[in-house]
Amino acid sequence: AVVSTQSTGIALRFLLALIVMAAGKTSDSWDLELKLAKLESTIDHLQKQVSDLQLGQVKQGAELKVATNMASSALDQSNSTWSLTRTQILFPSLEKIALHQTTETYTETLPTPLPVNTRALIVSVFCYFWNGANSHAYLNVDVQQEGSDEGGLARLENTHFNVYANTFYYEVMIPWDTALSDKIVFAVKSSYQTGGDKNWYRLRVVGYVTA
């Protein structure tokens, strides 16, 4: 146990006073008082050092507690389990997009609620490109959950021209928060399509990620 520096100092000063009273005011006692004064000054200095040490220990203890809490939080996050679930959600308006020099916004509602721990949706982008008469199939779309901020936006950029008859496919993750809306917004920012009905795009939700 740590003894209070204040109570220790009081006891020492009381002892010094008794010594001086017992010695009287002889020439020898003046020397004794001088020595005792120096001793008292030393005691004060030691008291301050002890107080500073105790204060430092308290501060170190607080810092150690903060560091321990941070480490525990990081460990909890590292132990979390991410899981990908495959699904197939179709939206009729997005099954065959063939826009030319126009913009359009499609707001689609998910047909069933997602698990509360859903963190992202998986959106697939499919392009059917027949390339009749050296044609084009350009489509740029911003996709995000309705009500989310800029951080939840995914930009899809697709540019195909004069490619031998082919198909293109890829998937992207869209950040998701079940506390927000159950709607997903597809905002077409630009489009350029030639070649008639032979060139088109399809957008679907093909999975979700939980954690």
Side-chain angles (χ1 to χ4, degrees):
V2 178
V3 178
S4 170
T5 58
Q6 184 178 6
S7 59
T8 302
I10 293 174
L12 288 173
R13 285 184 174 80
F14 180 70
L15 178 60
L16 291 174
L18 291 178
I19 294 173
V20 172
M21 290 174 62
K25 293 299 181 179
T26 65
S27 59
D28 292 337
S29 69
W30 288 113
D31 292 337
L32 179 60
E33 283 191 43
L34 180 59
K35 292 178 181 179
L36 293 178
K38 291 181 180 180
L39 179 59
E40 185 175 6
S41 175
T42 302
I43 291 172
D44 290 338
H45 179 67
L46 291 174
Q47 278 186 291
K48 184 178 184 306
Q49 287 185 325
V50 172
S51 296
D52 291 344
L53 179 60
Q54 290 176 332
L55 181 61
Q57 290 175 337
V58 172
K59 182 179 180 182
Q60 287 179 350
E63 292 175 347
L64 179 60
K65 183 177 180 180
V66 171
T68 301
N69 291 340
M70 291 177 63
S72 177
S73 177
L75 182 61
D76 291 341
Q77 292 180 11
S78 66
N79 289 335
S80 63
T81 302
W82 290 74
S83 177
L84 169 62
T85 301
R86 285 295 183 179
T87 186
Q88 194 73 243
I89 302 177
L90 283 60
F91 305 109
S93 58
L94 302 178
E95 279 295 291
K96 196 170 185 179
I97 304 172
L99 301 176
H100 178 58
Q101 294 185 321
T102 60
T103 59
E104 189 76 43
T105 297
Y106 306 91
T107 302
E108 305 291 344
T109 302
L110 299 179
T112 57
L114 295 172
V116 294
N117 61 336
T118 299
R119 297 292 179 262
L121 294 188
I122 308 299
V123 171
S124 69
V125 181
F126 174 81
C127 175
Y128 181 87
F129 194 84
W130 183 254
N131 192 29
N134 296 330
S135 58
H136 305 73
Y138 299 172
L139 186 70
N140 295 332
V141 188
D142 287 353
V143 185
Q144 68 184 127
Q145 181 182 15
E146 184 181 64
S148 66
D149 56 23
E150 184 71 14
L153 180 68
R155 287 191 167 91
L156 315 182
E157 299 182 351
N158 306 276
T159 305
H160 303 295
F161 167 69
N162 195 22
V163 180
Y164 187 78
N166 211 329
T167 59
F168 304 89
Y169 180 89
Y170 63 94
E171 298 178 352
V172 295
M173 285 203 306
I174 312 300
W176 199 261
D177 182 354
T178 53
L180 299 177
S181 171
D182 62 349
K183 300 180 185 297
I184 182 170
V185 180
F186 301 84
V188 177
K189 296 302 181 180
S190 64
S191 61
Y192 196 89
Q193 188 268 357
T194 60
D197 62 355
K198 298 297 184 181
N199 299 341
W200 47 270
Y201 284 87
R202 181 181 70 206
L203 305 176
R204 292 177 175 175
V205 173
V206 293
Y208 57 88
V209 176
T210 56

